[in-house]
Amino acid sequence: MKVVTFGEIMLRLMPENYLRFVQADKFEATYAGAEANVAVSLANFGNEAVFVSKVPAGEIGQAAVNAVRKYGVNSDYIVRGGNRLGVYFCEKGASQRPSKVIYDRAGSSFACADKDDFDWKEIFKYAEWFHFTGITPALSDSVAGITRIAAQTAKENGLTVSCDLNYRKKLWSNEKAKATMSEILPFVDYCIANEEDMKDVFGIETENNDVTGGNLNKAGYVEAAKELSDMFGLKGVAVTLRESKSANDNDWSAMLYTGGKAYFSRKYSMHIVDRVGGGDSFGGALIHALLKNGEAQYAIDFAVAASCLKHSIQGDFNLVTESEVSGLMKGDSTGRVQR
């Protein structure tokens, strides 16, 4: 299955272990970005994953390309040009101290991309699915316009289109997000969100929920997903349900609303190694499962199990196999040594 994702790949710099930014005298360097993360997941599950982006010419841009290429992602449509690669700094949280992300991506090669950089009709040849996130159009007005063109072209060419709302308050305002995403979501089939995304972008609230206390009102999530689905004529809305006990320990589950019915996954209690990229791993696994099986319950169960495993892996990429996900879905959650 050929799946195309579109977004920015960045250099991720993180202090060792659990050091704070102000303590660190060295940083671990890796490469990541929401849509790149999704592409890696899809490639690991055996799909033809195509990642579309723009990076600067030269060694740093090439290193970013190599980071996805090494996992089997097609990088043929990554454009070279511009002045710099976007950077983000990640400080890993612990106990009651949350993780922290600081962006340094203004004026990046991707943020300055032009619509003529991408030939979408060529890119979408033989593709079945197109995925992007709300982070991408947040980067600049020009990239927002490119994203709209891409989503519309994908829809016109018969692809299924998915979007993870992924609202980032450090990148744009609620008002700008609502205006921009309202122009793009009419071309989307499946939307992924959490309760904060739906509230921040579209003012859709889930009532009587206490995510920190572990008390979730499932009926409220169903109503919120229905409202978002009806607003844009979506085929499905997937809602991740994270119950945060601390920075290290979360409960993790999700719901898929489609065809007027809600499907809930099982809940996993996780001790977290690295939570950044957890939502992207959910999206990649959901796309894979819908393409492979098509059944809503299977899709949401597979997506939650895959993203649960991602929380045990250092870095943004979810480096698990389909068989490992299937094993967890079947109930093998003990973490016993495999010999």
Side-chain angles (χ1 to χ4, degrees), residues 8-21:
E8 181 171 35
I9 187 167
M10 296 175 290
L11 172 63
R12 164 176 154 162
L13 297 175
M14 189 176 74
E16 294 180 310
N17 300 315
Y18 289 92
L19 292 179
R20 306 215 67 185
F21 290 135

Side-chain angles (χ1 to χ4, degrees), residues 101-157:
V101 169
I102 297 175
Y103 293 119
D104 177 19
R105 60 201 303 183
S108 69
S109 294
F110 185 79
C112 297
D114 183 85
K115 61 182 179 63
D116 293 331
D117 286 329
F118 310 102
D119 182 350
W120 291 109
K121 288 186 178 180
E122 175 64 27
I123 293 168
F124 289 143
K125 276 185 179 178
Y126 311 114
E128 296 188 45
W129 199 293
F130 173 57
H131 178 78
F132 65 97
T133 78
I135 296 172
T136 296
L139 297 176
S140 69
D141 289 342
S142 63
V143 175
I146 296 169
T147 306
R148 186 185 186 282
I149 292 169
Q152 183 174 358
T153 305
K155 191 73 170 178
E156 291 172 349
N157 283 271

